[in-house]
Amino acid sequence: MACVDPPFPYRIPDAGLRQPPDLLALTDLKWVMSAYVGRIDIQRLLSDSAYARRCLDEARATPSELVQRLAARVLSPLI
């Protein structure tokens, strides 16, 4: 029997993405950005492109080149 639902307690919204989101990279971004902007809601990132845009703008405003590059790579497909 095939598994229909993901193995975690909530479904990831489709949000019109061409490829599945990189959840590991999103989690990495969440933790590296937390030092600069506070908590990031991954589930909301996947379902709200305005929120993803705001997070990308906040990442670009940080002094961390790592945060800026990771956010550009991970969040651009969500916008």
Coordinates of all heavy atoms in Angstrom, one line a residue:
M1 N 0.8 -1.2 0.0 CA 0.0 0.0 0.0 C 0.9 1.2 0.0 O 1.8 1.4 0.8 CB -0.9 0.0 1.2 CG -1.8 1.1 1.3 SD -2.9 0.8 2.7 CE -4.2 2.0 2.3
A2 N 0.6 2.2 -0.9 CA 1.4 3.4 -1.0 C 1.0 4.4 0.1 O -0.1 4.5 0.5 CB 1.2 4.1 -2.4
C3 N 2.0 5.1 0.5 CA 1.8 6.2 1.5 C 1.3 7.4 0.8 O 2.0 8.0 -0.1 CB 3.1 6.5 2.3 SG 3.0 7.7 3.5
V4 N 0.2 7.9 1.2 CA -0.4 9.1 0.5 C 0.0 10.4 1.3 O 0.3 11.4 0.7 CB -1.9 9.0 0.5 CG1 -2.6 10.2 -0.1 CG2 -2.3 7.7 -0.3
D5 N -0.1 10.4 2.6 CA 0.2 11.5 3.4 C 1.7 11.6 3.8 O 2.3 10.5 3.9 CB -0.6 11.6 4.7 CG -2.1 11.8 4.4 OD1 -2.4 12.5 3.4 OD2 -2.9 11.2 5.1
P6 N 2.3 12.8 3.9 CA 3.7 12.9 4.4 C 3.8 12.3 5.8 O 2.8 12.3 6.5 CB 3.9 14.4 4.4 CG 2.7 15.1 4.2 CD 1.7 14.1 3.7
P7 N 5.0 11.9 6.2 CA 5.2 11.3 7.5 C 5.2 12.2 8.7 O 5.7 11.9 9.7 CB 6.5 10.5 7.3 CG 7.2 11.3 6.4 CD 6.2 11.8 5.4
F8 N 4.7 13.5 8.5 CA 4.7 14.4 9.6 C 3.3 14.9 9.8 O 2.5 14.7 8.9 CB 5.7 15.5 9.4 CG 5.9 16.0 8.0 CD1 5.1 16.9 7.5 CD2 6.9 15.4 7.2 CE1 5.2 17.3 6.2 CE2 7.1 15.8 5.9 CZ 6.2 16.8 5.4
P9 N 3.0 15.6 10.9 CA 1.6 15.9 11.2 C 0.9 16.9 10.4 O -0.3 17.2 10.6 CB 1.7 16.4 12.7 CG 3.1 16.9 12.8 CD 3.9 16.0 11.9
Y10 N 1.5 17.6 9.4 CA 0.8 18.5 8.6 C 1.2 18.3 7.2 O 2.2 17.8 6.9 CB 1.0 20.0 9.1 CG 2.4 20.4 9.0 CD1 3.0 20.9 7.9 CD2 3.2 20.3 10.1 CE1 4.3 21.3 7.8 CE2 4.6 20.7 10.1 CZ 5.1 21.2 8.9 OH 6.4 21.6 8.9
R11 N 0.3 18.8 6.3 CA 0.6 18.7 4.8 C 1.3 20.0 4.4 O 1.0 21.0 4.9 CB -0.7 18.6 4.0 CG -1.4 17.3 4.2 CD -2.6 17.4 3.3 NE -3.1 16.1 2.8 CZ -2.5 15.3 2.0 NH1 -1.4 15.6 1.4 NH2 -3.0 14.1 1.7
I12 N 2.2 19.9 3.5 CA 2.8 21.0 2.9 C 2.0 21.5 1.7 O 1.7 20.8 0.8 CB 4.2 20.7 2.3 CG1 5.1 20.2 3.5 CG2 4.9 21.8 1.6 CD1 6.4 19.6 3.0
P13 N 1.5 22.7 1.8 CA 0.7 23.3 0.7 C 1.5 23.3 -0.6 O 2.7 23.5 -0.6 CB 0.4 24.7 1.1 CG 0.7 24.8 2.6 CD 1.7 23.7 2.9
D14 N 0.8 23.0 -1.7 CA 1.4 23.0 -3.0 C 2.0 24.4 -3.4 O 3.1 24.5 -3.8 CB 0.4 22.5 -4.1 CG 1.0 22.5 -5.5 OD1 2.2 22.5 -5.6 OD2 0.2 22.6 -6.4
A15 N 1.3 25.4 -3.2 CA 1.7 26.8 -3.4 C 2.2 27.0 -4.9 O 3.0 27.9 -5.1 CB 2.8 27.2 -2.4
G16 N 1.9 26.1 -5.8 CA 2.3 26.3 -7.2 C 3.7 26.1 -7.5 O 4.3 26.6 -8.5
L17 N 4.4 25.4 -6.6 CA 5.9 25.2 -6.8 C 6.1 24.2 -7.9 O 5.4 23.2 -8.0 CB 6.5 24.7 -5.5 CG 6.4 25.7 -4.3 CD1 7.0 25.0 -3.1 CD2 7.0 27.0 -4.6
R18 N 7.2 24.4 -8.7 CA 7.6 23.4 -9.7 C 8.2 22.2 -9.1 O 8.1 21.1 -9.7 CB 8.5 24.1 -10.7 CG 7.8 25.1 -11.6 CD 8.8 25.6 -12.6 NE 8.5 27.0 -12.7 CZ 9.4 28.0 -12.6 NH1 10.7 27.7 -12.5 NH2 9.1 29.2 -12.7
Q19 N 8.9 22.3 -8.0 CA 9.6 21.2 -7.4 C 9.3 21.3 -5.9 O 9.0 22.3 -5.4 CB 11.1 21.2 -7.7 CG 11.8 22.5 -7.1 CD 13.2 22.5 -7.5 OE1 13.7 21.7 -8.3 NE2 14.0 23.4 -6.8
P20 N 9.4 20.1 -5.2 CA 9.1 20.2 -3.8 C 10.1 21.1 -3.1 O 11.3 21.2 -3.5 CB 9.3 18.7 -3.4 CG 9.4 17.9 -4.6 CD 9.7 18.8 -5.7
P21 N 9.7 21.7 -2.0 CA 10.6 22.6 -1.3 C 11.7 21.8 -0.6 O 11.5 20.6 -0.2 CB 9.7 23.3 -0.2 CG 8.5 22.3 -0.1 CD 8.4 21.7 -1.4
D22 N 12.8 22.4 -0.4 CA 14.0 21.7 0.3 C 13.8 22.0 1.8 O 14.2 23.1 2.3 CB 15.3 22.3 -0.3 CG 16.5 21.6 0.3 OD1 16.4 20.9 1.4 OD2 17.6 21.8 -0.2
L23 N 13.2 21.1 2.5 CA 12.9 21.3 3.9 C 14.1 21.4 4.7 O 14.1 22.1 5.7 CB 11.9 20.2 4.4 CG 10.5 20.1 3.8 CD1 9.7 19.0 4.3 CD2 9.8 21.4 4.0
L24 N 15.2 20.7 4.4 CA 16.4 20.8 5.2 C 17.0 22.2 5.0 O 17.4 22.8 6.0 CB 17.4 19.7 4.7 CG 18.7 19.7 5.4 CD1 18.5 19.5 6.9 CD2 19.6 18.6 4.9
A25 N 17.0 22.7 3.8 CA 17.5 24.0 3.6 C 16.7 25.1 4.3 O 17.2 26.1 4.9 CB 17.7 24.3 2.1
L26 N 15.3 24.9 4.3 CA 14.5 25.8 5.0 C 14.7 25.8 6.5 O 14.7 26.8 7.2 CB 13.0 25.4 4.7 CG 12.4 25.9 3.4 CD1 11.1 25.2 3.1 CD2 12.3 27.4 3.3
T27 N 15.0 24.6 7.0 CA 15.3 24.5 8.5 C 16.6 25.1 8.8 O 16.7 25.8 9.8 CB 15.3 23.0 8.9 OG1 14.0 22.4 8.5 CG2 15.5 22.8 10.4
D28 N 17.6 24.9 7.9 CA 18.9 25.6 8.1 C 18.7 27.1 8.1 O 19.3 27.8 9.0 CB 19.9 25.2 7.0 CG 20.4 23.8 7.1 OD1 20.2 23.2 8.2 OD2 21.0 23.3 6.1
L29 N 17.9 27.6 7.1 CA 17.7 29.1 7.1 C 17.0 29.6 8.3 O 17.4 30.6 8.9 CB 16.9 29.4 5.8 CG 16.5 30.8 5.7 CD1 17.7 31.7 5.4 CD2 15.5 31.0 4.5
K30 N 16.0 28.8 8.8 CA 15.3 29.2 10.0 C 16.3 29.4 11.2 O 16.2 30.4 11.9 CB 14.3 28.1 10.4 CG 13.6 28.3 11.7 CD 12.7 27.1 12.0 CE 12.1 27.3 13.4 NZ 11.1 26.3 13.6
W31 N 17.2 28.5 11.3 CA 18.2 28.6 12.5 C 19.2 29.6 12.3 O 19.6 30.4 13.2 CB 18.8 27.2 12.8 CG 17.8 26.3 13.3 CD1 17.2 25.2 12.7 CD2 17.2 26.4 14.6 NE1 16.3 24.7 13.6 CE2 16.2 25.4 14.7 CE3 17.3 27.3 15.7 CZ2 15.4 25.2 15.9 CZ3 16.5 27.1 16.8 CH2 15.6 26.1 16.9
V32 N 19.8 29.8 11.1 CA 20.8 30.8 10.9 C 20.2 32.2 10.9 O 20.9 33.2 11.4 CB 21.7 30.6 9.6 CG1 22.4 29.3 9.7 CG2 20.9 30.7 8.4
M33 N 19.0 32.4 10.5 CA 18.3 33.7 10.5 C 17.8 34.1 11.9 O 17.6 35.2 12.2 CB 17.1 33.8 9.6 CG 17.6 34.1 8.1 SD 16.2 34.4 7.0 CE 15.5 35.9 7.6
S34 N 17.6 33.1 12.8 CA 17.1 33.3 14.1 C 17.9 34.3 14.9 O 17.4 35.0 15.8 CB 16.8 32.0 14.9 OG 18.0 31.4 15.2
A35 N 19.2 34.3 14.7 CA 20.1 35.2 15.4 C 19.9 36.7 15.0 O 20.2 37.6 15.7 CB 21.6 34.8 15.1
Y36 N 19.3 36.9 13.8 CA 19.1 38.2 13.3 C 17.6 38.7 13.3 O 17.4 39.9 13.5 CB 19.6 38.3 11.9 CG 21.1 38.0 11.8 CD1 21.5 36.7 11.3 CD2 22.0 38.9 12.1 CE1 22.8 36.4 11.3 CE2 23.4 38.6 12.0 CZ 23.8 37.4 11.6 OH 25.1 37.0 11.5
V37 N 16.7 37.8 13.1 CA 15.3 38.3 12.9 C 14.3 37.6 13.8 O 13.1 37.9 13.7 CB 14.8 38.2 11.4 CG1 15.7 39.1 10.6 CG2 14.8 36.8 11.0
G38 N 14.7 36.7 14.6 CA 13.7 35.9 15.4 C 13.2 34.7 14.7 O 13.8 34.2 13.8
R39 N 12.0 34.3 15.1 CA 11.4 33.0 14.7 C 10.9 33.1 13.3 O 10.2 34.1 12.9 CB 10.3 32.7 15.6 CG 9.6 31.4 15.3 CD 8.5 31.0 16.3 NE 7.9 29.8 16.0 CZ 6.9 29.7 15.1 NH1 6.4 30.7 14.5 NH2 6.3 28.5 14.9
I40 N 11.1 32.1 12.5 CA 10.5 32.0 11.1 C 9.6 30.8 11.1 O 10.0 29.7 11.6 CB 11.7 31.8 10.1 CG1 12.5 33.1 10.0 CG2 11.1 31.5 8.7 CD1 13.7 33.0 9.1
D41 N 8.5 30.9 10.5 CA 7.4 29.9 10.5 C 7.6 29.2 9.1 O 7.1 29.7 8.1 CB 6.1 30.5 10.7 CG 5.0 29.5 10.7 OD1 5.1 28.3 10.2 OD2 3.9 29.8 11.2
I42 N 8.1 28.0 9.1 CA 8.4 27.3 7.8 C 7.0 27.0 7.1 O 6.9 27.1 5.9 CB 9.2 26.0 8.0 CG1 10.6 26.4 8.5 CG2 9.2 25.2 6.8 CD1 11.5 25.2 8.8
Q43 N 6.1 26.5 7.8 CA 4.8 26.2 7.2 C 4.2 27.4 6.6 O 3.6 27.3 5.5 CB 3.8 25.6 8.2 CG 2.6 25.1 7.6 CD 1.7 24.3 8.6 OE1 2.0 24.2 9.7 NE2 0.6 23.7 8.0
R44 N 4.3 28.6 7.2 CA 3.8 29.8 6.6 C 4.6 30.2 5.4 O 4.0 30.7 4.4 CB 3.8 30.9 7.6 CG 3.1 32.2 7.1 CD 2.9 33.2 8.2 NE 2.5 34.4 7.6 CZ 2.5 35.6 8.2 NH1 3.0 35.7 9.4 NH2 2.1 36.7 7.6
L45 N 5.9 30.0 5.4 CA 6.7 30.3 4.2 C 6.2 29.5 3.0 O 6.3 30.0 1.9 CB 8.2 29.8 4.5 CG 9.1 30.8 5.2 CD1 10.4 30.1 5.5 CD2 9.3 32.1 4.5
L46 N 5.8 28.3 3.2 CA 5.4 27.4 2.1 C 4.0 27.8 1.6 O 3.6 27.4 0.5 CB 5.4 26.0 2.6 CG 6.8 25.4 2.9 CD1 6.6 24.1 3.5 CD2 7.7 25.4 1.7
S47 N 3.2 28.6 2.4 CA 1.9 28.8 1.9 C 1.6 30.3 1.7 O 0.5 30.7 1.2 CB 0.9 28.3 3.0 OG 1.1 28.9 4.2
D48 N 2.5 31.2 2.1 CA 2.3 32.6 2.0 C 3.4 33.3 1.3 O 4.5 33.6 1.9 CB 2.1 33.2 3.4 CG 1.7 34.7 3.5 OD1 1.9 35.4 2.5 OD2 1.3 35.1 4.6
S49 N 3.3 33.6 0.0 CA 4.4 34.2 -0.7 C 4.8 35.6 -0.2 O 6.0 36.0 -0.3 CB 4.1 34.2 -2.2 OG 3.0 35.0 -2.5
A50 N 3.8 36.4 0.3 CA 4.1 37.7 0.9 C 5.0 37.6 2.1 O 6.0 38.3 2.3 CB 2.9 38.4 1.2
Y51 N 4.8 36.6 2.9 CA 5.6 36.3 4.1 C 7.0 35.9 3.7 O 8.0 36.3 4.2 CB 4.9 35.2 5.0 CG 5.7 34.8 6.2 CD1 5.9 35.7 7.3 CD2 6.3 33.6 6.3 CE1 6.6 35.4 8.4 CE2 7.0 33.2 7.4 CZ 7.1 34.1 8.5 OH 7.9 33.7 9.6
A52 N 7.1 35.0 2.6 CA 8.4 34.6 2.1 C 9.2 35.8 1.6 O 10.4 35.9 1.8 CB 8.2 33.5 1.0
R53 N 8.5 36.7 0.9 CA 9.1 37.9 0.4 C 9.7 38.7 1.5 O 10.8 39.2 1.5 CB 8.2 38.7 -0.5 CG 8.5 40.1 -0.8 CD 9.8 40.3 -1.6 NE 9.7 39.8 -2.9 CZ 10.7 39.6 -3.7 NH1 11.9 39.9 -3.3 NH2 10.5 39.2 -4.9
R54 N 8.9 38.9 2.6 CA 9.3 39.7 3.7 C 10.5 39.1 4.4 O 11.4 39.8 4.8 CB 8.1 39.8 4.7 CG 8.2 41.0 5.6 CD 6.9 41.3 6.3 NE 6.1 40.2 6.9 CZ 5.0 39.7 6.4 NH1 4.4 40.2 5.4 NH2 4.4 38.7 7.0
C55 N 10.5 37.7 4.5 CA 11.7 37.0 5.1 C 12.9 37.2 4.2 O 14.0 37.4 4.8 CB 11.3 35.6 5.3 SG 10.2 35.2 6.6
L56 N 12.7 37.2 2.9 CA 13.9 37.4 2.0 C 14.4 38.8 2.2 O 15.6 39.0 2.2 CB 13.5 37.1 0.6 CG 14.5 37.3 -0.5 CD1 15.7 36.4 -0.2 CD2 14.0 37.0 -1.9
D57 N 13.5 39.8 2.3 CA 14.0 41.1 2.5 C 14.7 41.3 3.8 O 15.7 42.0 3.9 CB 12.8 42.1 2.4 CG 12.2 42.2 1.0 OD1 12.8 41.8 0.0 OD2 11.0 42.7 1.0
E58 N 14.2 40.7 4.8 CA 14.9 40.7 6.1 C 16.3 40.0 6.1 O 17.2 40.5 6.7 CB 14.0 40.1 7.2 CG 12.8 40.9 7.6 CD 11.9 40.2 8.6 OE1 12.2 39.1 9.0 OE2 10.9 40.8 9.0
A59 N 16.4 38.9 5.4 CA 17.6 38.2 5.2 C 18.6 39.1 4.5 O 19.8 39.2 4.8 CB 17.4 36.9 4.5
R60 N 18.2 39.8 3.4 CA 19.1 40.7 2.7 C 19.6 41.8 3.5 O 20.6 42.4 3.2 CB 18.4 41.2 1.4 CG 18.1 40.2 0.4 CD 17.4 40.7 -0.8 NE 17.3 39.7 -1.9 CZ 16.3 39.7 -2.8 NH1 15.4 40.7 -2.8 NH2 16.3 38.8 -3.7
A61 N 18.8 42.2 4.5 CA 19.2 43.3 5.4 C 20.2 42.9 6.5 O 20.7 43.8 7.2 CB 18.0 44.0 6.0
T62 N 20.4 41.6 6.7 CA 21.4 41.2 7.7 C 22.8 41.4 7.3 O 23.1 41.5 6.1 CB 21.2 39.7 8.1 OG1 21.6 38.9 7.0 CG2 19.7 39.4 8.4
P63 N 23.7 41.5 8.2 CA 25.1 41.6 7.8 C 25.8 40.3 7.4 O 26.9 40.3 7.0 CB 25.8 42.2 9.1 CG 24.9 41.7 10.2 CD 23.5 41.6 9.6
S64 N 25.0 39.2 7.5 CA 25.6 37.9 7.3 C 25.5 37.5 5.8 O 24.4 37.3 5.3 CB 24.9 36.8 8.1 OG 25.2 35.5 7.7
E65 N 26.6 37.3 5.1 CA 26.6 36.8 3.7 C 26.0 35.4 3.6 O 25.3 35.1 2.7 CB 28.0 36.8 3.2 CG 28.0 36.5 1.7 CD 29.4 36.6 1.1 OE1 30.3 37.3 1.6 OE2 29.7 35.8 0.2
L66 N 26.2 34.6 4.6 CA 25.7 33.2 4.6 C 24.1 33.3 4.6 O 23.5 32.6 3.8 CB 26.1 32.4 5.8 CG 25.5 31.1 6.1 CD1 25.8 30.1 4.9 CD2 25.9 30.5 7.4
V67 N 23.6 34.1 5.5 CA 22.1 34.3 5.6 C 21.6 34.8 4.2 O 20.6 34.3 3.7 CB 21.7 35.2 6.7 CG1 20.2 35.6 6.7 CG2 22.0 34.5 8.1
Q68 N 22.2 35.8 3.7 CA 21.8 36.4 2.4 C 21.8 35.4 1.3 O 20.8 35.3 0.5 CB 22.7 37.6 2.1 CG 22.5 38.7 3.0 CD 23.6 39.8 2.8 OE1 24.3 39.8 1.8 NE2 23.7 40.7 3.8
R69 N 22.9 34.6 1.2 CA 22.9 33.6 0.1 C 22.0 32.5 0.3 O 21.3 32.0 -0.7 CB 24.4 33.1 -0.1 CG 25.3 34.0 -0.7 CD 26.7 33.4 -1.0 NE 27.4 33.3 0.3 CZ 28.0 32.2 0.7 NH1 28.1 31.2 -0.1 NH2 28.6 32.1 1.9
L70 N 21.9 32.0 1.5 CA 20.9 30.9 1.8 C 19.5 31.3 1.5 O 18.7 30.6 0.9 CB 21.1 30.3 3.2 CG 20.3 29.1 3.6 CD1 20.6 27.9 2.7 CD2 20.6 28.8 5.0
A71 N 19.2 32.5 2.0 CA 17.8 33.0 1.8 C 17.5 33.2 0.3 O 16.4 32.8 -0.1 CB 17.6 34.3 2.5
A72 N 18.4 33.7 -0.4 CA 18.2 33.9 -1.9 C 17.9 32.5 -2.6 O 17.0 32.4 -3.4 CB 19.3 34.6 -2.5
R73 N 18.7 31.5 -2.2 CA 18.6 30.2 -2.8 C 17.3 29.5 -2.4 O 16.6 28.9 -3.2 CB 19.8 29.3 -2.5 CG 19.7 27.9 -3.1 CD 21.0 27.1 -2.8 NE 21.2 26.8 -1.4 CZ 20.7 25.8 -0.8 NH1 19.9 25.0 -1.4 NH2 21.0 25.6 0.5
V74 N 16.9 29.6 -1.1 CA 15.8 28.8 -0.6 C 14.5 29.6 -0.8 O 13.4 28.9 -1.1 CB 16.0 28.5 0.9 CG1 14.8 27.9 1.5 CG2 17.2 27.7 1.1
L75 N 14.4 30.9 -0.6 CA 13.2 31.6 -0.6 C 12.7 32.1 -2.0 O 11.5 32.2 -2.3 CB 13.3 32.8 0.3 CG 13.4 32.5 1.8 CD1 13.6 33.7 2.6 CD2 12.3 31.6 2.3
S76 N 13.7 32.3 -2.9 CA 13.3 32.8 -4.3 C 12.3 31.9 -4.9 O 11.3 32.4 -5.5 CB 14.5 32.9 -5.1 OG 15.3 34.0 -4.6
P77 N 12.4 30.5 -4.9 CA 11.4 29.7 -5.5 C 10.0 29.8 -4.9 O 9.0 29.4 -5.5 CB 11.9 28.3 -5.4 CG 13.4 28.4 -5.1 CD 13.5 29.7 -4.4
L78 N 9.9 30.3 -3.6 CA 8.6 30.4 -2.9 C 7.9 31.7 -3.2 O 6.7 31.8 -2.8 CB 8.9 30.3 -1.4 CG 9.6 29.0 -0.9 CD1 9.8 29.1 0.6 CD2 8.8 27.8 -1.3
I79 N 8.5 32.6 -3.8 CA 7.9 33.9 -4.1 C 7.2 34.0 -5.4 O 7.7 33.5 -6.4 CB 9.0 35.0 -4.0 CG1 9.6 35.0 -2.5 CG2 8.4 36.4 -4.3 CD1 10.8 35.9 -2.4

